[in-house]
Amino acid sequence: MTPKVEFLFDFGSPNAYLAEVAIPGIEQRTGAKFEYVPILLGGIYKATGNMSPFDSLRGIKNKPEYQALETQRFIRRHNVTKFRTNPFFPVNTLMLMRCAVAARFEGVFEPYFRAAYHHMWEEPKKMDDPEVFRSAFISSGIDIDRVAKRAQDDDVKKKLIELTNDAVSRGAFGSPTFFVGKEMFFGKDQLRDVEESIVEQSAGAASNAK
């Protein structure tokens, strides 16, 4: 009776990485299974006129420091141990995200996803450099040449555009974005509300089924 729960992510978002670390605990507590939906953050920013915190917080006094404080609180709360700041941030994620769609089509999404996050936020690398990109995935045992070749196909490119446009049409303006049924939540700090909504909607569905 659990509702459909979606996690809209782009590998370039450190907050999406941090949020994903907390997802297994929510799944265990609620019985929900999150659907991982790749989107292109640059496309969402362009469509909505939004920009990354890296740009929007530049030159603002006190707010970046507070955001960093909140991040540290989140890291402690969820016992995040592997996260490292990527010194090459921001990274162009077009190829990473196209390959995420291709990996799903090829049935290797889970290992690809884990490897991508590892090389972006655990052992950070310049993942928009083609040689670095290829070497990183090979080191993780991914047949990246096959996935990257598939990522050049029109159906993969169109699917990523479709998922990104659909996210915008449903109200998304950044990543991480979550949907619990039709309810949208933005940001890692809303995960407690995401979990609460899963529980409420599950209870409501169970009650209506009686």
Side-chain angles (χ1 to χ4, degrees):
M1 291 294 181
T2 57
K4 182 178 181 179
V5 185
E6 299 164 89
F7 166 52
L8 279 56
F9 73 94
D10 183 305
F11 291 120
S13 168
N15 287 320
Y17 169 88
L18 293 170
E20 198 276 333
V21 174
I23 286 176
I26 297 174
E27 290 181 328
Q28 184 177 20
R29 290 188 294 272
T30 65
K33 183 66 176 175
F34 282 62
E35 177 183 340
Y36 285 41
V37 182
I39 50 88
L40 188 62
L41 196 48
I44 285 184
Y45 286 159
K46 183 176 181 180
T48 61
N50 194 14
M51 63 180 69
S52 72
F54 179 83
D55 294 315
S56 65
L57 295 178
R58 185 181 294 133
I60 297 177
K61 184 178 177 60
N62 295 332
K63 190 173 182 180
E65 291 80 4
Y66 178 75
Q67 295 278 57
L69 176 63
E70 283 287 86
T71 296
Q72 289 305 311
R73 287 171 175 162
F74 185 95
I75 286 172
R76 288 194 301 271
R77 182 183 308 125
H78 295 282
N79 192 31
V80 179
T81 59
K82 297 180 180 180
F83 175 74
R84 302 291 182 270
T85 300
N86 192 316
F88 304 103
F89 184 83
V91 172
N92 185 317
T93 60
L94 178 59
M95 191 59 181
L96 278 164
M97 300 316 299
R98 280 180 176 171
C99 282
V101 175
R104 176 154 286 156
F105 285 175
E106 293 295 299
V108 292
F109 177 77
E110 177 67 18
Y112 174 85
F113 178 90
R114 294 297 158 201
Y117 261 160
H118 175 77
H119 294 294
M120 273 295 297
W121 301 111
E122 295 174 357
E123 291 185 7
K125 300 173 181 66
K126 185 172 172 52
M127 293 297 284
D128 51 5
D129 181 309
E131 292 185 6
V132 173
F133 175 96
R134 184 172 183 271
S135 296
F137 280 109
I138 288 175
S139 73
S140 292
I142 305 298
D143 186 356
I144 194 59
D145 291 334
R146 176 169 68 97
V147 175
K149 185 176 184 294
R150 184 71 173 88
Q152 297 305 313
D153 292 344
D154 285 343
D155 61 335
V156 171
K157 295 177 181 179
K158 289 178 180 177
K159 185 63 175 179
L160 181 59
I161 293 171
E162 175 188 311
L163 292 171
T164 301
N165 289 340
D166 179 65
V168 172
S169 71
R170 296 164 71 192
F173 52 86
S175 175
T177 294
F178 301 90
F179 284 94
V180 183
K182 294 181 179 180
E183 292 290 319
M184 188 186 94
F185 302 86
F186 172 73
K188 68 183 185 302
D189 298 320
Q190 302 306 313
L191 279 172
R192 283 177 284 192
D193 291 335
V194 169
E195 184 168 354
E196 183 178 276
S197 183
I198 293 171
V199 172
E200 289 178 350
Q201 291 191 40
S202 297
S207 178
N208 292 334
K210 292 180 180 180

